[in-house]
Amino acid sequence: MNPGRWPAILNIAMPDPYETRVVSPRHLKERIEAERSGIPFLYWLDDVGEQHILMLTADRTRVTIGRRDQSDVPLTWDAEVSRAHALLEPVGGEWTVIDDGMALNGSFVNGSRIHGRHRLEDKDHMYFGQTRVVYREPGGEQGSQSTARALESPASIPLTETQRRVLIALCRPRVESGSATPATNPQIAGEVHLSVDAVKANMRNLFDRFQIGELPQNEKRQQLVAIVLSSGLLQRHDF
């Protein structure tokens, strides 16, 4: 792979193999538990879709990322990751990612290749080879409560009849064919007999009501489907 092509690919719309998977309820619960601690953490999926979480506790002074088994973040399955690929270190109470130029394919944060040290912010997406590692900095319990409420008590969220129909159409591919990709806005519009703009407005409202509006754009729809189906808000007979 030519590493010089990565920034352009990522900034346009690089398909992320993990974004196309529906986030499982178990993975959501694991993230919520990590968020409730108020401690910064990393999470990533391995080559079989299993989630890994690494808590960045105060006693950690360095986190190694690479293809070696002994790395703190061991990306052993990713052939494009160097044996010693990158480091994470806290500086002045803030976590930073370091790429000293030794990794053949480089390191990226939110689509931009980094050189040297880069300060991380909450929900930054780091890419090492083909693997995405997400940095979370919950900042206390308040940030975790909204995610917990969205997962644990969706039945308490008031919905209009139109919003319910939009949710059914959104989830239909997952329920009827097992597709990991939720329905698109045009597909929803065709089913519920609304304009695409009206569907977009309803989707924005649903993201806000389920308190996932701040997630990256590519994650919102999968997350909403996972929450709705795992909670029992919609049943098989609704489809």
Side-chain angles (χ1 to χ4, degrees):
M1 167 177 263
N2 179 1
R5 295 181 57 213
W6 271 74
I9 295 173
L10 285 168
N11 284 331
I12 294 174
M14 191 192 81
D16 185 342
Y18 301 125
E19 294 287 10
T20 61
R21 300 175 181 174
V22 174
V23 181
S24 74
R26 177 170 61 86
H27 289 171
L28 284 173
K29 289 179 181 179
E30 290 171 353
R31 294 179 199 176
I32 287 168
E33 290 173 0
E35 288 173 5
R36 283 175 172 160
S37 72
I39 298 171
F41 65 94
L42 307 174
Y43 71 84
W44 66 95
L45 301 181
D46 62 25
D47 56 331
V48 296
E50 188 58 40
Q51 179 169 263
H52 301 265
I53 291 179
L54 179 69
M55 304 303 296
L56 302 178
T57 52
D59 59 337
R60 286 189 179 275
T61 59
R62 172 174 289 192
V63 172
T64 58
I65 300 169
R67 209 167 70 248
R68 294 172 175 165
D69 286 327
Q70 61 267 37
S71 299
D72 297 309
V73 180
L75 309 180
T76 56
W77 62 89
D78 193 330
E80 295 185 9
V81 171
S82 299
R83 295 181 66 199
H85 197 103
L87 295 172
L88 265 65
E89 290 181 348
V91 176
E94 297 181 324
W95 279 92
T96 62
V97 58
I98 305 166
D99 188 320
D100 59 7
M102 297 298 291
L104 177 63
N105 291 315
S107 304
F108 298 80
V109 176
N110 301 328
S112 298
R113 185 165 185 169
I114 65 169
H115 301 277
R117 188 183 297 271
H118 178 91
R119 184 174 66 83
L120 294 171
E121 297 182 0
D122 186 31
K123 300 180 183 178
D124 273 350
H125 288 200
M126 296 175 283
Y127 287 85
F128 309 103
Q130 291 289 333
T131 305
R132 182 189 68 169
V133 178
V134 180
Y135 171 76
R136 289 302 323 274
E137 188 176 350
E141 190 172 347
Q142 182 177 1
S144 68
Q145 284 179 340
S146 63
T147 307
R149 283 198 302 270
L151 178 64
E152 295 171 359
S153 57
S156 66
I157 299 173
L159 297 174
T160 67
E161 182 58 30
T162 297
Q163 288 167 347
R164 184 177 179 82
R165 288 164 51 215
V166 167
L167 277 179
I168 291 171
L170 175 73
C171 298
R172 189 177 299 282
R174 174 64 173 172
V175 173
E176 295 188 346
S177 65
S179 172
T181 304
T184 64
N185 289 334
Q187 288 171 330
I188 296 171
E191 178 172 334
V192 301
H193 305 295
L194 292 173
S195 68
V196 172
D197 285 342
V199 170
K200 289 179 179 178
N202 276 278
M203 290 298 298
R204 286 193 296 269
N205 193 293
L206 287 166
F207 294 149
D208 290 341
R209 290 197 176 202
F210 284 85
Q211 301 185 21
I212 56 174
E214 294 183 358
L215 290 177
Q217 190 62 36
N218 287 342
E219 290 187 5
K220 293 179 184 177
R221 301 170 81 87
Q222 285 90 355
Q223 197 91 315
L224 183 55
V225 169
I227 291 171
V228 168
L229 295 182
S230 66
S231 68
L233 180 61
L234 296 180
Q235 301 292 330
R236 182 77 188 185
H237 61 73
D238 292 316
F239 300 89

